Amino acid sequence: MVQSVPPHSDRAGPISPLVALQATLQQMREQSDANTLVQLTLEYVKAAFGAPLIWLAFYDYPNHQLVGQGGVTLLEDQTLLRAVHPLQPGEILEQVVIEQRPISLPDLSQEPRMGIWQREARRLGGIQGCFIYPFSAYGPLSRTAVGRRRCLGILMLGSQMWGVTTREDEKALLGILLGQLAASLQELENAWQQQTEKRLEDPLLRLGTAMRQVGSLQERVSLVRQELQSFLGAVHIQVYWHERSQGQFVPHGSVPKAVGNSGGTESSQPPVPKGAKVGAGPTGEVSLSLRELGDMYYTLADGQVVVGGTGTTRSEVPPKLMQQLRAQAVLAAPILLEKDLLGFIWVQSDVPRTWQAAERQLVAAAANGLALAAPLENLDRRIRQLADDQEFVQQVGRSLYNPAELQQALQQAVVGLAQRLKVGAVAVLTVDPDSPIPRLFYEYRREGKQTLPQQLSPLSDQDWQDLMRSEVVVAENYDQDLRLLSWRQELAGVRSLMLTHTGVGGTATTPVEGLLLVLHPQLRTWSREERQLLRGIAQQVGVILRQIRSEQRRQRQEQLLKGLIATCSTLPNLATLSDLYTTTTRQTAQLLGIPLALVVSWQPGESRAQLQGPFTTAAGTETGSTEIDLQDPLLAYALQSAEPLPLTQEQIPPASRTWLSRVSGAEHFAAGLGSWLLVALGETNSSQAGALGVLILGAEAGKVWDPDERAAVMLIAQTCGWTLRRLLWMQTLQERQEVLRELNWYKHRRLLDMQNALLDSLRRLGQVPEIPGDEATRWQKVVEIGRGLRDLTVSTRPLLQSETWQVQPQLRSVPLATLVRKSLRRVEGLTQKRKLWPRAHGDMSIAVQGDPERLEMVLWEVLTAAGLRSPEGGRLDLWSQASVRDSDAEPFGYAELLVVDQGSFDPHLMAALQLDPNQVIYADPLLKSPLSVSPGLELSLCQRVVQRMGGQLSFYLSSDGRCVSRLLLPMGSDEPHPPG
């Protein structure tokens, strides 16, 4: 850099910086003292660069600070160059140390991120330009990041000129020099570590040999403590054993220890008084509860060594526990046997200390040795306990061979497990493959304890993964455990638990029939033997659940089959749509045991659907017909699915919830119903014949529609859809037949009337020559007959034009007297032949509303039937009057015409004519009926003709036995015409 001065010799003149660097590097390689290395480095930099400020500092990684090693300034006081400089976030020196890249500053005095160096720049001689170069190396010094370079220190050069920096050749010289300095320091560090590092071979060999030569656990614990004391130095060492009955760890020697207890709630040790603090040894060790250990317990149970204290970056020991034991540094290794935490070795130092890797490894090895030796102390009792547990599992397995005692076998297994573990409750939960909601199947609980709800919240994916991976999920302090969080509300009051599945194996693809849950109201640890016992019973319970579920499914399939046979044999025999809808919804709801079933149907080509009366068990529902847009999203969902479509409450579109809640009951819809099944009535993928309706089923929230139920609903829907289409076919054909029959009758009567009129005109035309008078008079008579024939053709023109295939009545006002006069004229031949005496009574000036030609034909048909059944010489009375409002069925504004005869009316025909004319057309055509032959056929047609014009034609017997034909017609709006 500027101000650099070439080093020179007194004898030979100036020396090249590169030559001087070679000599300096050679001297540094031969040195074994760090201070000498620093001195050689500073001398070369001073000679080669001649900078007014040179500062060399080492980086203290644990304390994140720079320790000055000296340098060069223009001042005699070098206190600043040897001071300790803590690194602060955001400073340039920290940036250089972390990034390990050199940096140049144009003016040190104007850089606020240089801290004290900015403030001292002017006092140091007006330093402005500044260059900072870090040096680093690989090796054991980089313990925090294996395989990465770690900064060992920095070199800072300062100039009195602004913006002065180093050239590339000067940077190369500094890189070579500082690289050698870092390598030399690394070698010194490695040599020091090799000299001071403790070796594990000898202590491990001595410990293994000594433990083989002693027979009791007490002697082995003493050997472990002596060897660790010798290796670790001035520390306190204690061995803690897990006392499951009290939920705490007690120091070795406080009570006689029997290790390997598998009963969990029993122990061969004398009980320790509650809350007692047992002193054992000079440190006054106390019993440690699970609450005091906190997360440290789970770390030990996972087989990890726990390190705590001021010498570690992150203490794994609870600070409160360290304060209680007055410890500055702690090292704990688990005594673990097959995932069962038997205890741990506790090493405590009263002064801050960093534990070396060899120390941690030796303590862990000693703990493993005690774990192997501990079970031998109580081997006989463990063998008996395991044999007893095995016999219990086999006893449960033998009870499975009798299918009639499956429920008793399940009860025996659950109660026996609860009594052996001495727990508060044991519950069996079933899991459906199609639903993540566990349901309570059986529960054994002590008296006075709160029972579990019938269904629990779904487990999280992480809980399922833990359960499948470890087979048994253990929560020894459920309040602080992060597993099974979704059950916190349902398991209120539970302090510890075990959960396992009833499947065989632990793979994610293994089908799981249920879960076995063990609950305890107090803090409790669970031994390996207890978990094995739980797994053995759980697998037997899984077999029981599979057999019970298989039997239940067989019974359910048998019930569905019987119901399907009854339903599918009933639906095709129904004759009306209302019966079809009612039977379908009622029998489907009863077959599946659900509270709601309804049908939404529509006619082909229509844009609106009709919601038929539902079958529901809820109160406050609307049973009337409701119109629904055929584009409703709920109906669209059903029509787009070829199979029954299950939906939850949240999946129901908002637009459909309005009418769905109205027909199912608002409260029932909001609180009870939450599972829905939709299926189309008919083929949804057919291009020729689409669906004509949708069957909607509602059940309680959480219900799972199993495949058998879906298949049954699909068969019922197909049968209903086929029957619905068949009924619509029949109705359409019968309606068309009736229209054609009515047209045929009307046209036949008009043709007959036209024939009679034509014959009468021809007869009159033949009598014209016999008319007395002149030719003009006879010609006038011919013209009159011609006008009559013309009027006859004019009256038939609308019939031929507008009523080719459809009935089109032409309604207008017509005097009743005209109708009566023309009708009596038409039956004049019949009355003369049978010597009847027709008479008209009452007000005949009334005008009625209707199609005059059709009314004439109807009255003609009624008078003809009355005349044919009347005895010869009898009377035909016609009574007319304006109808008085005496009931809602006959409001004011109707004209009444009664045709009374003295004939004998067939009672079967009379009963048939009392039926609704609109329903008669849908009667079975294969059945013999009085309405299928004359005169019932014609009279039934007349009833429908009158009804189409807004009137009514009925037949009954009067009190004196006479036959009455009652014609009720709307009164006309025109002024009544006098009878003509």
Side-chain angles (χ1 to χ4, degrees):
M1 63 189 302
V2 178
Q3 294 180 319
S4 64
V5 179
H8 47 280
S9 171
D10 294 338
R11 296 181 180 180
I15 301 176
S16 169
L18 191 58
V19 176
L21 176 61
Q22 179 183 7
T24 301
L25 295 179
Q26 182 64 34
Q27 295 177 17
M28 293 177 67
R29 296 189 190 101
E30 298 173 354
Q31 294 298 324
S32 60
D33 180 62
N35 293 329
T36 304
L37 293 173
V38 171
Q39 188 64 29
L40 289 173
T41 302
L42 292 176
E43 288 178 357
Y44 176 81
V45 174
K46 178 180 178 181
F49 293 91
L53 173 62
I54 303 174
W55 181 51
L56 181 66
F58 288 166
Y59 174 54
D60 182 5
Y61 173 77
N63 298 312
H64 195 51
Q65 60 188 6
L66 291 175
V67 181
Q69 302 298 317
V72 176
T73 65
L74 299 178
L75 304 177
E76 296 182 359
D77 184 11
Q78 293 196 358
T79 304
L80 181 62
L81 301 182
R82 294 190 175 274
V84 177
H85 298 269
L87 297 179
Q88 303 297 331
E91 290 186 345
I92 290 181
L93 292 180
E94 185 192 46
Q95 176 183 346
V96 173
V97 168
I98 294 176
E99 297 180 357
Q100 301 183 32
R101 291 188 300 179
I103 190 171
S104 299
L105 301 175
D107 192 348
L108 178 63
S109 62
Q110 299 298 324
E111 181 53 64
R113 293 186 296 163
M114 284 299 293
I116 191 173
W117 293 102
Q118 179 205 14
R119 299 189 295 271
E120 297 292 335
R122 189 175 301 277
R123 190 176 70 85
L124 292 175
I127 301 300
Q128 295 188 30
C130 179
F131 178 72
I132 306 172
Y133 200 104
F135 55 94
S136 58
Y138 291 101
L141 288 176
S142 304
R143 294 173 183 169
T144 58
V146 178
R148 295 175 55 189
R149 298 186 67 87
R150 174 176 174 270
C151 182
L152 301 183
I154 65 168
L155 175 67
M156 184 169 68
L157 304 179
S159 171
Q160 293 176 323
M161 300 180 63
W162 186 91
V164 175
T165 182
T166 57
R167 302 189 302 271
E168 292 300 324
D169 57 339
E170 294 174 334
K171 290 182 181 180
L173 293 175
L174 288 177
I176 297 173
L177 176 66
L178 296 180
Q180 180 60 48
L181 175 61
S184 299
L185 291 175
Q186 184 67 69
E187 292 179 2
L188 295 179
E189 178 69 16
N190 294 341
W192 176 82
Q193 286 186 355
Q194 292 177 359
Q195 294 174 2
T196 59
E197 186 177 16
K198 297 180 180 180
R199 311 294 295 181
L200 284 177
E201 293 81 358
D202 295 338
L204 284 177
L205 182 60
R206 289 194 303 269
L207 185 60
T209 303
M211 292 185 69
R212 287 199 304 270
Q213 296 174 355
V214 297
S216 66
L217 181 64
Q218 178 67 33
E219 293 174 329
R220 289 189 175 97
V221 172
S222 299
L223 286 174
V224 168
R225 296 178 66 174
Q226 292 174 8
E227 189 62 40
L228 292 181
Q229 193 78 50
S230 173
F231 189 80
L232 298 177
V235 294
H236 302 296
I237 301 173
Q238 183 57 278
V239 176
Y240 284 90
W241 297 108
H242 195 180
E243 184 64 29
R244 302 182 188 280
S245 61
Q246 302 176 18
Q248 60 184 0
F249 289 84
V250 297
H252 180 80
S254 61
V255 291
K257 178 63 186 174
V259 191
N261 174 30
S262 64
T265 57
E266 297 180 356
S267 174
S268 60
Q269 304 179 24
V272 178
K274 218 173 189 181
K277 298 297 182 179
V278 183
T283 58
E285 289 87 350
V286 297
S287 298
L288 303 178
S289 65
L290 298 180
R291 185 183 299 274
E292 291 174 329
L293 293 179
D295 293 338
M296 172 182 169
Y297 168 76
Y298 300 103
T299 306
L300 292 172
D302 197 34
Q304 302 180 28
V305 177
V306 175
V307 178
T310 57
T312 59
T313 56
R314 184 178 65 88
S315 178
E316 298 172 326
V317 181
K320 186 176 180 180
L321 180 60
M322 296 192 64
Q323 294 176 4
Q324 176 184 347
L325 300 178
R326 299 178 182 177
Q328 295 296 322
V330 170
L331 179 62
I335 303 175
L336 198 65
L337 181 63
E338 296 183 3
K339 299 183 180 181
D340 188 9
L341 184 61
L342 306 180
F344 58 86
I345 298 178
W346 178 273
V347 181
Q348 171 181 326
S349 175
D350 296 337
V351 296
R353 176 170 177 169
T354 301
W355 304 103
Q356 299 181 9
E359 295 172 338
R360 295 195 295 268
Q361 294 171 4
L362 181 61
V363 176
N368 292 334
L370 290 180
L372 295 175
L376 300 177
E377 292 294 311
N378 208 10
L379 187 58
D380 292 340
R381 189 198 60 80
R382 294 188 63 200
I383 293 176
R384 290 194 302 270
Q385 181 69 38
L386 291 174
D388 192 18
D389 292 344
Q390 186 68 22
E391 175 61 26
F392 173 59
V393 175
Q394 293 177 357
Q395 181 182 358
V396 175
R398 286 192 294 270
S399 63
L400 302 179
Y401 292 101
N402 189 356
E405 299 179 357
L406 291 177
Q407 197 69 29
Q408 182 179 355
L410 178 64
Q411 180 180 356
Q412 176 187 355
V414 173
V415 174
L417 179 64
Q419 292 176 350
R420 285 177 173 273
L421 298 180
K422 296 184 178 180
V423 294
V426 176
V428 178
L429 308 174
T430 58
V431 180
D432 195 294
D434 298 329
S435 173
I437 301 177
R439 299 178 183 274
L440 181 64
F441 185 80
Y442 180 79
E443 179 183 18
Y444 170 78
R445 185 177 290 270
R446 292 180 181 177
E447 296 181 0
K449 301 296 182 180
Q450 183 180 0
T451 60
L452 292 175
Q454 288 302 312
Q455 64 181 31
L456 281 72
S457 302
L459 290 175
S460 64
D461 293 340
Q462 184 62 45
D463 289 336
W464 277 112
Q465 294 175 8
D466 294 342
L467 184 62
M468 290 300 174
R469 182 176 61 252
S470 61
E471 293 190 346
V472 180
V473 173
V474 176
E476 298 179 341
N477 187 354
Y478 184 51
D479 293 337
Q480 299 181 1
D481 205 300
L482 297 180
R483 289 171 295 185
L484 306 180
L485 290 177
S486 58
W487 287 359
R488 282 291 170 86
Q489 184 176 358
E490 292 91 338
L491 302 183
V494 175
R495 303 296 299 279
S496 58
L497 59 84
M498 283 194 299
L499 176 68
T500 184
H501 61 82
T502 60
V504 179
T507 61
T509 58
T510 303
V512 176
E513 297 82 11
L515 303 173
L516 191 57
L517 179 62
V518 177
L519 307 174
H520 198 59
Q522 299 175 357
L523 294 179
R524 163 111 178 236
T525 56
W526 309 97
S527 66
R528 177 174 56 88
E529 288 78 5
E530 289 172 334
R531 301 176 204 174
Q532 292 177 349
L533 175 61
L534 178 64
R535 279 300 303 154
I537 296 299
Q539 292 178 1
Q540 301 293 348
V541 170
V543 176
I544 296 176
L545 289 178
R546 283 194 293 272
Q547 294 185 2
I548 292 178
R549 182 170 293 181
S550 177
E551 179 63 20
Q552 290 177 346
R553 184 173 183 181
R554 185 193 65 80
Q555 295 177 357
R556 179 59 174 162
Q557 288 177 342
E558 183 178 352
Q559 177 188 2
L560 289 175
L561 179 60
K562 292 181 180 179
L564 280 176
I565 293 176
T567 303
C568 294
S569 60
T570 301
L571 294 182
N573 296 326
L574 299 176
T576 63
L577 295 178
S578 60
D579 291 343
L580 176 64
Y581 300 142
T582 303
T583 304
T584 300
T585 55
R586 182 183 68 253
Q587 295 198 11
T588 304
Q590 293 175 351
L591 180 63
L592 302 180
I594 56 177
L596 176 66
L598 56 93
V599 170
V600 178
S601 65
W602 56 86
Q603 298 286 343
E606 292 186 355
S607 61
R608 305 288 295 179
Q610 294 291 330
L611 196 153
Q612 309 300 329
F615 177 85
T616 176
T617 59
T621 60
E622 295 184 8
T623 58
S625 179
T626 302
E627 281 196 356
I628 302 173
D629 190 354
L630 200 55
Q631 303 300 322
D632 185 87
L634 188 63
L635 302 182
Y637 290 168
L639 296 178
Q640 292 171 3
S641 176
E643 299 291 333
L645 177 64
L647 295 176
T648 61
Q649 181 76 3
E650 293 74 19
Q651 294 174 322
I652 299 296
S656 305
R657 293 187 182 183
T658 304
W659 59 265
L660 196 57
S661 61
R662 186 167 61 249
V663 299
S664 61
E667 297 181 358
H668 197 183
F669 180 84
L673 298 180
S675 181
W676 301 87
L677 188 66
L678 281 66
V679 59
L681 301 180
E683 296 293 336
T684 58
N685 54 358
S686 176
S687 59
Q688 297 181 355
L692 296 176
V694 174
L695 177 61
I696 302 177
L697 308 178
E700 66 278 0
K703 175 178 173 56
V704 179
W705 307 93
D706 59 54
D708 295 333
E709 292 178 337
R710 296 189 189 185
V713 171
M714 189 67 182
L715 183 56
I716 292 176
Q718 290 178 348
T719 305
C720 178
W722 180 87
T723 306
L724 175 60
R725 184 167 294 277
R726 179 182 61 84
L727 290 178
L728 291 177
W729 285 347
M730 292 176 57
Q731 289 186 4
T732 303
L733 293 176
Q734 288 171 334
E735 289 172 357
R736 291 178 181 175
Q737 178 188 12
E738 196 59 30
V739 169
L740 295 177
R741 182 180 291 178
E742 182 179 335
L743 282 175
N744 179 65
W745 167 84
Y746 178 55
K747 291 181 178 180
H748 181 270
R749 287 295 180 267
R750 289 292 303 274
L751 183 61
L752 181 60
D753 184 56
M754 184 183 300
Q755 179 186 8
N756 293 335
L758 182 59
L759 291 176
D760 183 66
S761 298
L762 293 176
R763 180 184 57 79
R764 292 169 56 196
L765 188 60
Q767 296 175 353
V768 168
E770 301 176 0
I771 296 176
D774 55 5
E775 189 67 23
T777 302
R778 287 191 290 271
W779 182 252
Q780 184 178 2
K781 191 64 175 179
V782 172
V783 172
E784 179 183 349
I785 295 174
R787 288 197 187 98
L789 292 175
R790 184 192 60 188
D791 295 342
L792 186 63
T793 59
V794 171
S795 64
T796 58
R797 187 177 302 167
L799 176 64
L800 298 176
Q801 291 178 350
S802 61
E803 296 192 74
T804 307
W805 299 107
Q806 293 293 332
V807 176
Q808 299 288 342
Q810 304 294 325
L811 303 182
R812 58 183 183 271
S813 181
V814 58
L816 184 60
T818 303
L819 296 177
V820 172
R821 184 181 68 253
K822 290 183 178 182
S823 300
L824 288 176
R825 185 181 302 165
R826 288 187 176 91
V827 297
E828 185 176 350
L830 177 63
T831 56
Q832 292 177 357
K833 180 179 179 181
R834 299 185 60 84
K835 302 178 181 180
L836 301 179
W837 186 22
R839 289 291 183 271
H841 313 276
D843 187 5
M844 292 293 175
S845 62
I846 304 173
V848 295
Q849 185 77 13
D851 188 328
E853 286 76 13
R854 277 184 168 76
L855 289 177
E856 291 177 11
M857 299 301 105
V858 168
L859 195 54
W860 181 16
E861 198 73 56
V862 171
L863 290 174
T864 301
L868 290 175
R869 65 173 171 262
S870 296
E872 291 187 3
R875 296 183 54 178
L876 282 178
D877 294 312
L878 284 77
W879 298 85
S880 67
Q881 63 177 357
S883 178
V884 181
R885 183 181 178 131
D886 55 357
S887 66
D888 293 336
E890 298 177 2
F892 181 77
Y894 281 80
E896 183 182 51
L897 177 63
L898 301 179
V899 178
V900 183
D901 64 86
Q902 299 173 339
S904 177
F905 212 120
D906 183 1
H908 299 289
L909 177 59
M910 177 74 73
L913 292 174
Q914 305 303 317
L915 301 177
D916 185 0
N918 289 330
Q919 298 300 323
V920 170
I921 62 176
Y922 304 123
D924 189 349
L926 301 181
L927 296 178
K928 187 177 181 181
S929 171
L931 302 183
S932 60
V933 295
S934 298
L937 177 61
E938 291 81 359
L939 294 178
S940 177
L941 285 172
C942 292
Q943 283 184 320
R944 285 190 291 278
V945 171
V946 174
Q947 192 173 41
R948 194 187 300 274
M949 293 184 291
Q952 181 182 1
L953 176 61
S954 58
F955 304 90
Y956 61 91
L957 295 178
S958 64
S959 58
D960 56 0
R962 291 184 296 174
C963 300
V964 179
S965 303
R966 181 172 179 263
L967 180 63
L968 192 67
L969 295 171
M971 295 184 65
S973 58
D974 297 338
E975 292 295 330
H977 300 277

